[in-house]
Amino acid sequence: MNIVLLGPPGSGKGTQAKMIADKYGVVHISTGDILRENVRNGTPLGVEAKKFMEAGKLVPDSLLIDIIKDRLAKDDVKGGWMLDGYPRTMPQAEAMDQILPNLGQKIDVVLNIDVPDAELVKRVTGRRMCKCGTTYHVQFNPPKVAGKCDACGADLYQRADDTEETVKERLQAYHAQTQPLIDYYDKRGIVATVVGVGDIKEIFGKVAVALDKI
Ligand code: AP5
Ligand code: MG
Ligand code: ZN
């Protein structure tokens, strides 16, 4: 099964992705995580991407299309993948339509996580991350010991783009550039929308109902 996750910043893509990957055995590919790793390592891609990410703007399409082309050609994704954060613009979606047939792949479902803007700012500004990939929220999903990861004990940190000003920019980019993709895929009848407000496990229950239909 090949899944595209769509949803605004803070909607719970990463949170749900972890549970989806565990249950369905698909490989989780987060373009945000790939970019952040490049920023950390100071690669040419990371140096270029950093200025856009810290301003809450989308990184240029050509860079993202190259990342995805390379990643989907690797052997480990042959059993199914889940894209978290790609595509995010019409040119990225159109590029996927070129790339996938050449790889003998297709998108089976676009899982659209719907959360109102008012909820998103507090989610993003209260988010805490661990280098092992686990995500917390100081209020909505706190770790057992403040500032430490339940899974591995490491210190939690905040993402550089999780400030109130940057979140507003990211929301604007979402509405202008990413939201139109819901219509684009809806015309193919492959969109499943789940309301992403409420208990994290209950939302996963609704996600699983949608995925079990595929
Ligand atoms: P990316 O890393 O993809 O960030 P994003 O889309 O802004 O989404 P987030 O990761 O912020 O949110 P999420 O939906 O994963 O939510 P999470 O589960 O963590 O991209 C970052 C940047 O990289 C972009 O701005 C852009 O610059 C660049 N980029 C990446 N891909 C690109 C592309 N294709 N093209 C161009 N540029 C690209 O949850 C958020 C918080 O809420 C957590 O604290 C969590 O614990 C909590 N939470 C989760 N669910 C619930 C719930 N139900 N109730 C209460 N709290 C909850
Ligand atoms: Mg994420
Ligand atoms: Zn950890």
Side-chain angles (χ1 to χ4, degrees), residues 7-17 30-33 35-36 49-50 52-61 64-65 68 84-89 92 113 115 119-120 122-129 135-142 159 161-162 166 170-171 173-174 196-201 203:
S11 56
K13 298 183 297 293
T15 302
Q16 296 295 327
S30 158
T31 47
D33 287 348
L35 290 169
R36 280 184 289 277
K50 188 173 186 221
F52 294 97
M53 295 171 78
E54 287 188 348
K57 309 242 185 269
L58 294 180
V59 174
D61 287 333
L64 269 297
I65 292 167
I68 281 300
D84 160 7
Y86 185 99
R88 255 172 147 108
T89 64
Q92 291 181 22
I113 308 181
V115 179
E119 172 90 13
L120 296 169
K122 54 184 183 218
R123 279 202 196 176
V124 172
T125 52
R127 171 168 44 198
R128 297 292 182 275
M129 311 281 299
T135 303
Y136 299 89
H137 189 282
V138 287
Q139 186 185 349
F140 306 132
N141 185 24
R159 262 168 55 176
D161 61 345
D162 277 353
T166 313
R170 286 158 59 196
L171 277 173
Y174 170 78
V197 183
D199 181 72
I200 290 173
K201 291 206 179 73
I203 295 168

Side-chain angles (χ1 to χ4, degrees), residues 77-134:
V77 303
K78 296 285 182 274
W81 42 254
M82 169 177 42
L83 291 180
D84 160 7
Y86 185 99
R88 255 172 147 108
T89 64
M90 284 301 275
Q92 291 181 22
E94 284 159 5
M96 277 274 274
D97 290 341
Q98 308 272 312
I99 296 166
L100 292 182
N102 292 332
L103 295 169
Q105 300 174 6
K106 69 177 173 61
I107 303 171
D108 295 303
V109 60
V110 174
L111 192 65
N112 174 37
I113 308 181
D114 192 14
V115 179
D117 282 14
E119 172 90 13
L120 296 169
V121 176
K122 54 184 183 218
R123 279 202 196 176
V124 172
T125 52
R127 171 168 44 198
R128 297 292 182 275
M129 311 281 299
C130 179
K131 61 175 194 292
C132 78
T134 315

Side-chain angles (χ1 to χ4, degrees), residues 34-35 38-39 42-50 59 63-64 67:
I34 294 172
L35 290 169
N38 277 276
V39 170
T43 67
L45 168 64
V47 171
E48 178 65 13
K50 188 173 186 221
V59 174
L63 299 177
L64 269 297
I67 292 175

